[in-house]
Amino acid sequence: MAMIRLENLSKHYKVLNRSEGLSGALKDLFSRDYRIVKAVSDLSLEVNAGEIVGFVGPNGAGKSTTIKMMTGVLKPTSGLLTVNGRIPTKNRAQNMQEIGVVFGQRTQLWWDLPVIESFKILRQIYRVDQSSYNENMNIFEELIDLKALYSTPVRYLSLGQRMLCDIVASFLHNPKVIFLDEPTIGLDISIKSRIREVIKTLNEHKQTTIILTTHDLSDIEALCKRIVIIDKGTTVYDGSIQKVSSMFGAHRTLKIQLPPAEYLALDQLATSVNGHFSQASAITMEQSEEGWIHFTINQDEVHLMDVLNYIGHHYPVHDIKIEEISIDKIVKNIYEGGLA
Amino acid sequence: MNMGRYLVIAKSSFMTRVARRSTFIFTFLGNLAYITVIYYLWMAVYEGNSMLNGMTFNQAFAYLALASSLFTMFQVYTEWFMSAHILNGDIITSFIKPLDYQFNKLFEAFGAVISNFITISIPTLLVIIFVFDTKIEVGLNLAFFVISLLMAMLISFFIDYMIGLCSFYTESIWGICTTKDVIVLFLSGAMVPISFFPEYLQTICAYLPFQAIYNIPLTIVTTPGLSLMDYANALAMQGMWVVILLLVSRLLHAVATRTITVNGG
Ligand SMILES: Nc1ncnc2c1ncn2[C@@H]1O[C@H](COP(=O)(O)OP(=O)(O)OP(=O)(O)O)[C@@H](O)[C@H]1O
Ligand SMILES: [Mg+2]
């Protein structure tokens, strides 16, 4: 059964074109000069009950906008949208009973009150009966050892602790669908893995349908079978995470910084690297600020260590960083036929 | 509508207020200073007169001192919070709850009013009665006063809420808010009793909802010897404004919340 269905969903924002300066601000008071931002255009998607779907895309791709529409807070400009068989913007208050939402940058807990109070308040807002409340609190207890924090006001929690509380709180009323918009934003590796653990366990236990957005592919790899990649408001990939991982899992970004005196030699560096490695297509190069150069390397073809050795041998490398491939790069690769 | 859901909102708002208790003492001290100023100011106004515009000094002082404690009691910043939450995008956390936004705000305001009442109004009242030796009629008027206060709170809330809805359309409602505060304070009789206004201004005020917030409850509690008919008229007038403003604010609410803008994310 499709729990969530989007058909050619679009959302266009009307934005006032602002003029500069004080006189511009005055002029804007009377301006009717609007520009349309197509945040989401013709997005179609179907999500089955119990699925966890990873929803990714570069900044501004339209992920949060889509989530806001699915929660019924924003009204789509056009297209069809049903969640749990209902149109989210109709009967809003009632639909909210069946969904849970976490926005990583905000909290839905009561900032000034002790943690446990937020759970009690949510229990009453969502009319959760005492026995399911107790049952859920016990499950949460086992997952995240909340007790020590019960009497602490939410504002004293660390970002990671607050996020854990926010996430379990969104499960308190046993919703059918949960939307998690960047639940791992700004967290370190160890708390991230705890959060993944919590989401995974609760999903398995309660068969909750979950839509998760993130900029960290490893979140998706740990949690989802299916990934939907969007860019500029439309789907560019919808399929198994495995395919994406096997395509890009071997990709690493090698970042190298050269001292200022060498900035000029960048073009030359590019030519020499490309000349040295015969599988040139496996390495792409990009200049960044302050002398940083980013090499995206497909390790199935060329070993990152070989590239590093080669460069280190010929150039006075100042600093290096190695990272997993970013979502932006994947999107770019897909456009260039990477997943065709 | 399920009341339990909203009562817990009132309770949480009450608890949040109490958790920030340090602000009370300052509001209370501010009140004391204000009351002291109006005491001497109106003493000077009454110089040599026992009665002005049908009010004794004691009555006028009780009216204005009580007005200041009602003002702090009703000051729950509904419109400011609405505007701030629209600007920073936190508004969405209200909209994802299975609650009606307006009733949510109403019960938040209610919880805050009660916390203000306990922590600021009661101490201020004690000072007014015992330190300034003000006589307040004790009788049936107090029962009507309580009903009147409840309706005054609703009227005050509906006005705040409608101002707050403006922030759904414009980024800054600072000017609108402060203008509203000044208009309400003045035309409601909170700064100068309405019976001191010139005739034409009294007529205008009679047709506006503001006097129903301060003038009606304060007149009920400070005027001795009102008849049952007087009370009934005063309360009916307030009741009328409650109904009108409920309907109007509900309409504006429906229009404004049809599409909301959520910043950030
Ligand atoms: N309230 C708004 N008014 C005007 N434009 C908006 C508004 N909200 C979002 N946008 C625009 O819509 C586009 C999509 O934004 P959205 O927040 O959905 O992106 P996102 O995929 O969540 O990005 P991120 O990963 O950075 O959170 C962006 O271009 C953004 O500037
Ligand atoms: Mg976002």
Side-chain angles (χ1 to χ4, degrees):
Chain A
M1 185 200 106
M3 183 58 92
I4 300 174
R5 175 177 283 141
L6 280 66
E7 255 174 63
N8 300 317
L9 195 69
S10 299
K11 176 74 198 179
H12 298 170
Y13 290 110
K14 227 166 111 184
V15 186
L16 188 64
N17 278 323
R18 302 232 172 239
S19 326
E20 280 173 38
L22 186 63
S23 64
L26 289 174
K27 216 170 74 191
D28 285 345
L29 280 177
F30 308 99
S31 168
R32 286 282 159 272
D33 179 17
Y34 288 106
R35 160 174 59 95
I36 300 289
V37 177
K38 297 185 175 171
V40 175
S41 27
D42 283 330
L43 192 65
S44 297
L45 186 67
E46 236 176 69
V47 179
N48 291 325
E51 241 187 318
I52 307 189
V53 174
F55 203 51
V56 303
N59 289 118
K63 304 178 296 292
S64 296
T65 303
T66 308
I67 290 207
K68 286 169 192 167
M69 285 192 283
M70 292 192 282
T71 60
V73 172
L74 281 187
K75 206 178 157 132
T77 308
S78 64
L80 226 88
L81 168 62
T82 58
V83 174
N84 194 18
R86 298 198 207 129
I87 297 169
T89 42
K90 296 238 166 78
N91 256 329
R92 200 150 51 186
Q94 201 195 325
N95 294 341
M96 296 306 173
Q97 183 72 40
E98 317 227 304
I99 65 167
V101 192
V102 175
F103 291 102
Q105 315 89 313
R106 313 181 194 286
T107 182
Q108 60 157 331
L109 308 174
W110 278 258
W111 199 242
D112 296 288
L113 303 183
V115 171
I116 188 68
E117 289 300 334
S118 286
F119 283 92
K120 289 185 188 163
I121 295 168
L122 287 171
R123 171 178 108 72
Q124 298 205 38
I125 290 179
Y126 289 98
R127 313 254 94 197
V128 181
D129 62 67
Q130 192 68 49
S131 68
S132 11
Y133 175 80
N134 292 343
E135 189 188 326
N136 278 343
M137 289 307 277
N138 286 337
I139 297 172
F140 301 162
E141 189 60 44
E142 264 172 46
L143 281 172
I144 63 166
D145 202 17
L146 276 170
K147 270 225 167 80
L149 298 175
Y150 273 178
S151 56
T152 316
V154 173
R155 69 184 131 104
Y156 294 144
L157 298 183
S158 75
L159 181 62
Q161 291 169 330
R162 202 219 77 208
M163 203 74 88
L164 282 168
C165 290
D166 252 310
I167 289 173
V168 296
S170 72
F171 281 88
L172 185 72
H173 57 288
N174 296 322
K176 294 214 172 74
V177 186
I178 288 188
F179 302 99
L180 302 171
D181 195 0
E182 305 201 28
T184 56
I185 191 169
L187 301 178
D188 68 29
I189 305 278
S190 82
I191 199 97
K192 262 186 192 181
S193 77
R194 278 184 73 196
I195 284 186
R196 289 172 195 159
E197 198 56 48
V198 168
I199 297 173
K200 202 179 182 102
T201 314
L202 288 174
N203 162 263
E204 279 164 8
H205 190 89
K206 296 179 175 293
Q207 287 303 305
T208 319
T209 312
I210 296 177
I211 307 276
L212 167 92
T213 83
T214 175
H215 285 280
D216 183 349
L217 264 192
S218 44
D219 285 343
I220 309 277
E221 280 167 338
L223 288 170
C224 315
K225 291 200 184 69
R226 177 172 165 206
I227 180 173
V228 175
I229 304 177
I230 67 165
D231 183 44
K232 302 194 180 74
T234 49
T235 318
V236 293
Y237 175 81
D238 179 352
S240 77
I241 175 74
Q242 236 162 9
K243 196 168 166 197
V244 176
S245 297
S246 65
M247 214 59 178
F248 299 106
H251 285 63
R252 293 289 179 280
T253 304
L254 169 65
K255 299 184 173 178
I256 286 182
Q257 192 187 32
L258 299 180
E262 303 287 328
Y263 285 10
L264 291 174
L266 289 176
D267 281 344
Q268 188 213 328
L269 172 70
T271 344
S272 93
V273 171
N274 277 331
H276 182 79
F277 294 95
S278 50
Q279 313 89 329
S281 67
I283 309 175
T284 55
M285 219 173 302
E286 222 179 17
Q287 254 176 259
S288 185
E289 64 275 6
E290 290 178 39
W292 283 97
I293 311 161
H294 301 176
F295 296 87
T296 306
I297 300 163
N298 180 354
Q299 294 213 89
D300 286 341
E301 297 183 37
V302 177
H303 286 291
L304 184 145
M305 278 315 291
D306 295 343
V307 179
L308 183 56
N309 279 335
Y310 176 79
I311 299 172
H313 201 74
H314 293 85
Y315 294 86
V317 172
H318 217 201
D319 199 358
I320 68 162
K321 283 182 202 161
I322 297 171
E323 289 169 8
E324 295 199 3
I325 185 172
S326 69
I327 305 238
D328 305 38
K329 281 275 156 47
I330 292 182
V331 169
K332 201 167 154 215
N333 260 297
I334 291 172
Y335 280 132
E336 286 159 6
L339 268 178
Chain B
M1 193 173 95
N2 190 313
M3 279 302 275
R5 288 184 162 159
Y6 293 95
L7 288 178
V8 74
I9 294 291
K11 185 176 148 203
S12 68
S13 148
F14 177 85
M15 285 164 55
T16 298
R17 278 285 183 134
V18 175
R20 299 179 191 155
R21 59 183 155 238
S22 60
T23 56
F24 294 135
I25 187 78
F26 294 109
T27 316
F28 174 65
L29 291 177
N31 261 356
L32 288 194
Y34 178 76
I35 289 170
T36 313
V37 168
I38 57 170
Y39 184 81
Y40 289 105
L41 189 73
W42 284 80
M43 195 109 99
V45 171
Y46 269 83
E47 185 88 88
N49 300 304
S50 63
M51 193 85 141
L52 284 178
N53 297 310
M55 284 174 117
T56 63
F57 169 73
N58 179 70
Q59 241 177 299
F61 175 70
Y63 180 108
L64 290 168
L66 288 176
S68 87
S69 69
L70 286 196
F71 177 73
T72 39
M73 179 166 130
F74 289 153
Q75 187 80 323
V76 293
Y77 306 105
T78 301
E79 70 280 29
W80 294 101
F81 282 119
M82 284 169 75
S83 163
H85 288 171
I86 278 279
L87 283 180
N88 68 18
D90 277 348
I91 187 92
I92 197 164
T93 55
S94 302
F95 274 81
I96 56 172
K97 303 245 155 62
L99 300 170
D100 178 278
Y101 183 67
Q102 186 179 5
F103 289 117
N104 186 346
K105 288 286 142 191
L106 172 64
F107 281 82
E108 267 180 19
F110 202 57
V113 165
I114 291 177
S115 85
N116 285 345
F117 176 70
I118 294 173
T119 53
I120 309 173
S121 303
I122 289 190
T124 311
L125 196 65
L126 294 178
V127 170
I128 294 172
I129 294 175
F130 294 109
V131 178
F132 289 93
D133 198 23
T134 308
K135 308 243 166 349
I136 289 176
E137 298 289 314
V138 180
L140 207 52
N141 64 334
L142 290 185
F144 290 117
F145 180 60
V146 172
I147 302 171
S148 179
L149 271 190
L150 220 67
M151 291 201 279
M153 189 251 142
L154 288 174
I155 295 169
S156 168
F157 169 78
F158 290 139
I159 293 173
D160 287 354
Y161 186 74
M162 285 190 281
I163 300 285
L165 285 180
C166 296
S167 62
F168 286 49
Y169 297 98
T170 164
E171 275 164 21
S172 164
I173 63 160
W174 188 85
I176 306 177
C177 290
T178 40
T179 311
K180 181 223 68 175
D181 278 344
V182 171
I183 291 181
V184 169
L185 268 181
F186 186 67
L187 295 184
S188 64
M191 277 160 81
V192 176
I194 286 189
S195 56
F196 280 71
F197 286 3
E199 201 74 44
Y200 73 92
L201 206 52
Q202 290 198 27
T203 318
I204 295 176
C205 287
Y207 288 100
L208 292 174
F210 310 118
Q211 38 90 26
I213 307 176
Y214 295 103
N215 190 51
I216 293 183
L218 291 172
T219 307
I220 287 180
V221 78
T222 58
T223 318
L226 288 180
S227 69
L228 276 181
M229 198 61 199
D230 294 331
Y231 290 128
N233 278 337
L235 294 181
M237 170 73 109
Q238 270 189 313
M240 181 195 78
W241 280 116
V242 169
V243 173
I244 292 176
L245 292 175
L246 169 68
L247 294 178
V248 174
S249 67
R250 206 59 205 152
L251 191 74
L252 295 181
H253 162 91
V255 175
T257 57
R258 200 152 41 203
T259 52
I260 66 161
T261 313
V262 183
N263 292 335

